[in-house]
Amino acid sequence: MTEGFIFAKYHIIERFIVIAKSSQPRRTPYWFTEYGLPKASTPTFYKFTSERNTAMDEKFMRAALTRAKRAAALGELPVGAVIVKDNRVIASGYNKRELKQNALLHAEMTAIDRACKKLGSWRLTDCDMYVTLEPCPMCAGAAINARLGHVYFGAYDDKSGCVHSRANLLGMNLLSHTIPYEGGIMEAECSALIKDFFANLRKRPKRRAATEDKNEV
């Protein structure tokens, strides 16, 4: 009787566990995905904007390119970013990682930091970011934490881009927030700047030809 009772007890518990698991919402395991993106959910994860002002996009991307050229003059990887609110640049940044020997000083991180200080808030919901190179995991995460409204980038980064190329962190609903994005804005110009930088870097010794502008926006 004791053995029969124990068998029945564990059988009931096993059935309860099966029922409980079946009632939970199913999620796509990360090992079923490529670069962390469920193939069946691509339309949900890739959120592109529509009815956009191309001339305005180019205006702000050119502003980001101007910052990227400042980085190149300092011997940094030429990446620049601007934060836009109400069709006006309120903050900007460019790479200073080598100059300051600080892994956090990517263009996007500097621009987001300055925008938060400018507005007196960590929430940048009504702001958009334009950056010349697809954001890395750190910068994509910062965009999510800042609750940016949109992210627009120029060149794709097949090595470490985490908006489209290697993963799409902006569409994973991290922190219950997704960010619509658009890539390839002035892609040729943005890519050429990076390619020229590396081509010149291979021809000359490492040096910095300018100093940073402390009075920039």
Side-chain angles (χ1 to χ4, degrees):
M1 180 180 294
T2 303
E3 293 181 355
F5 175 77
I6 294 175
F7 176 80
K9 179 181 178 180
Y10 280 98
H11 181 69
I12 292 173
I13 293 175
E14 182 182 23
R15 293 297 299 167
F16 175 80
I17 292 174
V18 171
I19 293 172
K21 286 185 176 180
S22 64
S23 64
Q24 296 177 354
R26 300 185 64 182
R27 299 178 61 185
T28 304
Y30 73 90
W31 56 82
F32 286 170
T33 66
E34 182 179 2
Y35 304 137
L37 301 176
K39 295 181 179 179
S41 303
T42 299
T44 302
F45 274 63
Y46 287 98
K47 294 191 173 183
F48 293 93
T49 56
S50 59
E51 299 181 2
R52 305 237 333 287
N53 190 326
T54 303
M56 193 68 71
D57 286 343
E58 291 186 359
K59 172 186 175 181
F60 294 128
M61 190 57 73
R62 289 189 187 283
L65 275 167
T66 298
R67 274 68 174 184
K69 291 175 182 178
R70 294 177 187 175
L74 293 170
E76 297 277 357
L77 179 67
V79 179
V82 297
I83 303 293
V84 176
K85 179 179 173 63
D86 298 327
N87 292 327
R88 184 172 63 89
V89 174
I90 64 168
S92 66
Y94 52 86
N95 274 359
K96 296 179 184 176
R97 184 175 62 177
E98 297 295 335
L99 179 67
K100 300 292 187 179
Q101 288 299 298
N102 188 330
L104 301 178
L105 294 184
H106 286 198
E108 302 96 316
M109 301 292 285
T110 300
I112 289 173
D113 178 58
R114 289 177 173 173
C116 290
K117 291 176 180 176
K118 177 89 172 181
L119 299 178
S121 173
W122 63 269
R123 292 181 180 273
L124 303 179
T125 310
D126 297 327
C127 300
D128 300 333
M129 180 168 69
Y130 289 79
V131 58
T132 56
L133 182 66
E134 181 180 356
C136 69
M138 175 178 70
C139 296
I144 295 169
N145 274 279
R147 307 298 196 272
L148 279 170
H150 300 80
V151 170
Y152 305 109
F153 65 88
Y156 290 86
D157 186 353
D158 295 334
K159 181 178 178 181
S160 59
C162 279
V163 174
H164 180 96
S165 299
R166 302 295 294 177
N168 180 8
L169 297 186
L170 303 188
M172 288 183 173
N173 201 31
L174 301 176
L175 303 178
S176 300
H177 184 67
T178 58
I179 302 179
Y181 73 89
E182 182 73 59
I185 298 173
M186 297 184 66
E187 181 180 5
E189 292 88 340
C190 295
S191 296
L193 186 61
I194 293 175
K195 291 177 181 178
D196 290 345
F197 169 77
F198 282 114
N200 293 330
L201 196 64
R202 287 189 288 269
K203 296 177 182 178
R204 58 179 172 79
K206 189 174 182 180
R207 65 184 178 86
R208 293 185 173 85
T211 58
E212 61 177 320
D213 182 3
K214 298 183 181 299
N215 298 318
E216 64 182 338
V217 175

